[in-house]
Amino acid sequence: MEHISGGVCAAKGFKAGGVHCGIRKNRTKRDLSMIVSEVPASAAAVYTQNLVKGAPILVTKRNIANGIAQAMICNSGNANTCNADGEEIAWKMCELAGQAAGIKPEDVIVASTGVIGQPLPIDPIASGMGPLVSSLSDHGSNEAAEGIMTTDTRLKEVAVSFTAGGVTCHLGGIAKGSGMIHPNMATMLVFLTCDAAISPALLQKALSADAQDSFNMISIDGDTSTNDMVSIMANGLAGNAPITEENEDYAAFCAALKEVTTTLCRAIAKDGEGATRLLTCIVTGGKTIKDAKLAAKSVVCSSLLKAAIFGSDANWGRVLCALGYSGAEIDVQAVDVAFRSTKGMITVCQNGASVDFSEEKAKEILLEDEIDVLITLRDGDASATAWGCDLTYDYVKINGDYRT
Amino acid sequence: MEHISGGVCAAKGFKAGGVHCGIRKNRTKRDLSMIVSEVPASAAAVYTQNLVKGAPILVTKRNIANGIAQAMICNSGNANTCNADGEEIAWKMCELAGQAAGIKPEDVIVASTGVIGQPLPIDPIASGMGPLVSSLSDHGSNEAAEGIMTTDTRLKEVAVSFTAGGVTCHLGGIAKGSGMIHPNMATMLVFLTCDAAISPALLQKALSADAQDSFNMISIDGDTSTNDMVSIMANGLAGNAPITEENEDYAAFCAALKEVTTTLCRAIAKDGEGATRLLTCIVTGGKTIKDAKLAAKSVVCSSLLKAAIFGSDANWGRVLCALGYSGAEIDVQAVDVAFRSTKGMITVCQNGASVDFSEEKAKEILLEDEIDVLITLRDGDASATAWGCDLTYDYVKINGDYRT
């Protein structure tokens, strides 16, 4: 497996693009993106667990119920959620995209992101569809990635190549994240493309399993969004023997998927709203996977710890506190905690109690951009990783006045 | 029932005081508080549900297992949690307090609040005990309230008088709050005193029930502290016929308790770390009490909504979003949302969808200090209230560098 360039266009037969159509006021920001496959593709998706679901999610669910899709259309600037005519508008987006790209509207994955509860005007989308389709190209992944950004500060895309059945395949993705990112899916938009041939059922199985360890282990602010989803299209143009059972090729596909999703997870967490640091919590020695996951998630969700990380303060008491209310079965008298970055590692708590450590060294470690919190439990051999970010003034600023 | 002055000294036979003994570096801040009853009192308490529990909690639990206490001692500046010698130190505090005040050490409620994981030195407490006991007076509630403050900006005390069995009784309390305040008990320190005669069993029953609707419905930042508790002593000096069954007098006692705890809840939430606004979420029409509570708590816990309230932004989509992931059984198509303050009320969402409203009027309402979010469900007739605050730059500032 190898990292390559190209994002969602790394896989054969996929074109992408993004334009400004006018949903966002700022004319320099793209707000409408599209990805199209030359041929119909196997499709799968995972969705938010929020009871309030964006209208595009309802339409996408129906559209890919047959396991087939050929394109995705997504706007930013408006979530098309809590609107009386939301489903109608989302379906209209599919029709417009299908018409312009020459594919069936029911083969379109549709998504929207942005403010909730404001009617989404269809006019800018209708008039933008022509320029959007004209802009599609096999090096358009960047533009598509830009068009789905909201408060993201960095474009997020990745691609890898891997081998299945002796054939080189490609899997790539773009993502948007920032706020409203929290465990329990699908709290961001991620669009994945792949040129391997794989059955819709296995594609869904792989994606659902992967999300448990990737996107469900990120938290920016504890809010689970209404709109977001992770979708994948696999069009088979690599020419591998179709993956229809859980064999070696399936394993290779899953490994490539994991590499792509984990890379996007880190990018999303690091670019959390206002974030200055990527916070990775690695728990080992858990009684069960469930306990290890609960523990890791609780730590990256703690507002108090997140603020301490912003201040480069080795306040490990807040780590123990977060473990204590995580709901995980933990022997709190047998917990070790260490902080790690490129500047080294420092143990700050052993057996649930304070140990002498150099505050200076801790500060040096915690001033880096990427901080690992290493937690050793002595309850078993399960482990888990969760990703988050620090809590900063800018998070408050961004969210204090997002809508107006 | 009437609000009166005097705090924890409003009830007959209680003296209180607070001094600076040297645990905190700032010599102008009191860091050791005491409340003493003339006679042994019925005692009850509720504690944090965090698995990591401060040593003082373990000692207090043992001390009041017999339902009796006569004094409380509490320091601020150090939580005495995650320390190998924690329980020894906490018990030593009881011995010193008992000795100085002339009561049994096992009749002492002991508490600590502050940073976790730093050994608590006993020397300043030992040398401060003399001055502390000398400072005790029947108008010392203020000093005691000051001595338990950490990042609180305002002293919190309240008292009421009520009638039980034709006799006037008094119930008062002091509290500290600010950070690490979250539903699921007992996420702050609250010390209550009462001069009514009531059995320990009924006292515990009343306190446990009350906490479900009061202290378990506050959230400042989603972190459940390791240390905190709500305790009450009732010494019987009012001379009422002892309350030993759930009769009218018990109801009068419970009503007084509710008035005192609710007042303290609002004070704690309003003085949340960095808070500029009290946020009260009132849910009506819930299917069950549990659903109504889940919904109300989820709303006051949402970082996104809290940041919007800081920015006086009527971003009701975030209210719906929080309802959607609350875990409550809710028909999201049948939700109404309104914002209310002393400037009026404005409906911003009906039947789960946007309604036209004046942004100007909404801004005017949301610029006030105390904001109510009114949520009407159409699932039943259960209701619930939760309290929280906005999320501000100062929360981040306070918690980015608390320890150093």
Side-chain angles (χ1 to χ4, degrees), chain B residues 5 20 32 49 67 91 151 197 206 232 252 262 322 325 339 344:
Chain B
S5 63
H20 173 82
L32 193 62
Q49 288 176 7
W91 174 243
T151 50
I232 184 164
T262 304
Y325 63 72
F339 293 109

Side-chain angles (χ1 to χ4, degrees), chain A residues 250-266:
Chain A
Y250 179 72
F253 173 84
C254 288
L257 183 62
K258 186 185 170 77
E259 181 60 27
V260 165
T261 58
T262 304
T263 304
L264 291 175
C265 280
R266 291 173 59 91

Side-chain angles (χ1 to χ4, degrees), chain A residues 254-404:
Chain A
C254 288
L257 183 62
K258 186 185 170 77
E259 181 60 27
V260 165
T261 58
T262 304
T263 304
L264 291 175
C265 280
R266 291 173 59 91
I268 288 167
K270 191 167 183 175
D271 194 27
E273 281 177 344
T276 66
R277 288 187 174 79
L278 170 66
L279 180 62
T280 304
C281 180
I282 301 164
V283 172
T284 54
K287 190 171 180 185
T288 65
I289 293 278
K290 191 184 157 210
D291 290 308
K293 283 189 172 185
L294 282 172
K297 285 200 274 193
S298 187
V299 169
V300 300
C301 287
S302 161
S303 291
L304 284 168
L305 178 67
K306 286 153 56 97
I309 293 295
F310 173 55
S312 300
D313 181 9
N315 199 327
W316 61 268
R318 294 180 179 172
V319 175
L320 255 74
C321 178
L323 292 175
Y325 63 72
S326 64
E329 225 182 285
I330 288 176
D331 176 0
V332 291
Q333 315 274 12
V335 177
D336 295 353
V337 180
F339 292 109
R340 183 175 70 183
S341 75
T342 52
K343 293 289 182 189
M345 188 179 108
I346 192 162
T347 297
V348 289
C349 164
Q350 272 182 330
N351 296 316
S354 52
V355 291
D356 273 338
F357 65 90
S358 157
E359 292 278 356
E360 250 172 88
K361 180 68 189 168
K363 197 91 181 173
E364 193 194 344
I365 289 169
L366 293 176
L367 280 169
E368 292 299 293
D369 277 359
E370 303 196 353
I371 308 295
D372 295 340
V373 182
L374 308 175
I375 294 169
T376 311
L377 308 174
R378 292 194 182 81
D379 301 315
D381 55 12
S383 58
T385 300
W387 298 274
C389 60
D390 54 351
L391 174 62
T392 71
Y393 299 123
D394 278 353
Y395 177 84
V396 177
K397 187 171 179 188
I398 291 164
N399 286 298
D401 199 16
Y402 174 70
R403 214 176 42 108
T404 46

